[in-house]
Amino acid sequence: MARANAGDLGSRTYPVGTIGFYSWNVPENRLYGDDVIAHIYCATPAELAAGVPIEKIIQYIDEPDRRRVAKAIHTAIVTGERYDAEYHMTHVDGRILRVAANGCCLRDADGTPSIYTGTSTILPLHASADAVDPLEVHCRAALGLATKRRHALAARYLSSALRVLGA
């Protein structure tokens, strides 16, 4: 699948607190969402209208958040429990977002996981009113690039740096 570039995503921005809605057909691995979901997860509205694999949606979640989020999604699918997570995302176009997501996996008449539905909300970049730590912001951006470019050693060092920073 072709990657969306910044021009495909449009110039619209969404304020903190904006909520996007999605539905994921689990057996077919096709996720559909509104324009807010497209903005948050660096997809085009056309891609989401056609449905994209979940991997397209989670690829920009920062490490180590991605592992934690993937595990929470898996647990929600297997157990039917509700999913709630908060994480940071760094896009290749330089956008950094903090997101709160929730959802649940509905089952069909046979009890098979079927439709996973929920919301994602844009949060303030930092949870506290404290000053923004530019080192953390730069490390997160570098981690996103290292991960995207598959530079495992650099990503490991940057993840360690973020842990030392308490991020």
Side-chain angles (χ1 to χ4, degrees):
M1 171 182 299
R3 266 209 188 116
N5 65 43
D8 296 333
L9 300 176
S11 58
R12 185 163 182 192
T13 59
Y14 295 89
V16 168
T18 302
I19 300 172
F21 297 87
Y22 66 88
S23 290
W24 174 30
N25 181 321
V26 177
E28 295 178 13
N29 191 22
R30 305 305 291 170
L31 188 136
Y32 305 87
D34 63 14
D35 59 333
V36 177
I37 294 297
H39 171 76
I40 291 172
Y41 297 100
C42 208
T44 66
E47 287 176 316
L48 287 179
V52 297
I54 190 70
E55 294 81 8
K56 163 79 176 158
I57 297 302
I58 66 173
Q59 70 180 335
Y60 296 109
I61 297 175
D62 291 353
E63 290 290 344
D65 292 343
R66 188 178 314 134
R67 288 186 202 113
R68 177 179 50 79
V69 169
K71 182 177 179 184
I73 291 170
H74 176 76
T75 299
I77 292 169
V78 171
T79 67
E81 295 174 4
R82 306 255 183 234
Y83 157 82
D84 287 295
E86 190 175 301
Y87 46 86
H88 285 87
M89 302 181 66
T90 304
H91 295 276
V92 293
D93 65 7
R95 288 187 294 133
I96 299 173
L97 297 174
R98 187 168 145 246
V99 177
N102 66 60
C104 67
C105 187
L106 307 173
R107 299 184 180 310
D108 64 17
D110 297 324
T112 304
S114 179
I115 302 295
Y116 192 111
T117 188
T119 66
S120 293
T121 306
I122 301 170
L123 299 176
L125 192 53
H126 291 279
S128 70
D130 297 338
V132 175
D133 181 0
L135 181 57
E136 177 186 341
V137 171
H138 290 295
C139 283
R140 283 194 182 282
L143 176 59
L145 287 172
T147 302
K148 195 74 189 150
R149 293 179 181 175
R150 299 179 190 225
H151 295 295
L153 185 59
R156 196 172 3 192
Y157 282 120
L158 289 162
S159 293
S160 294
L162 285 166
R163 280 192 295 278
V164 169
L165 294 171

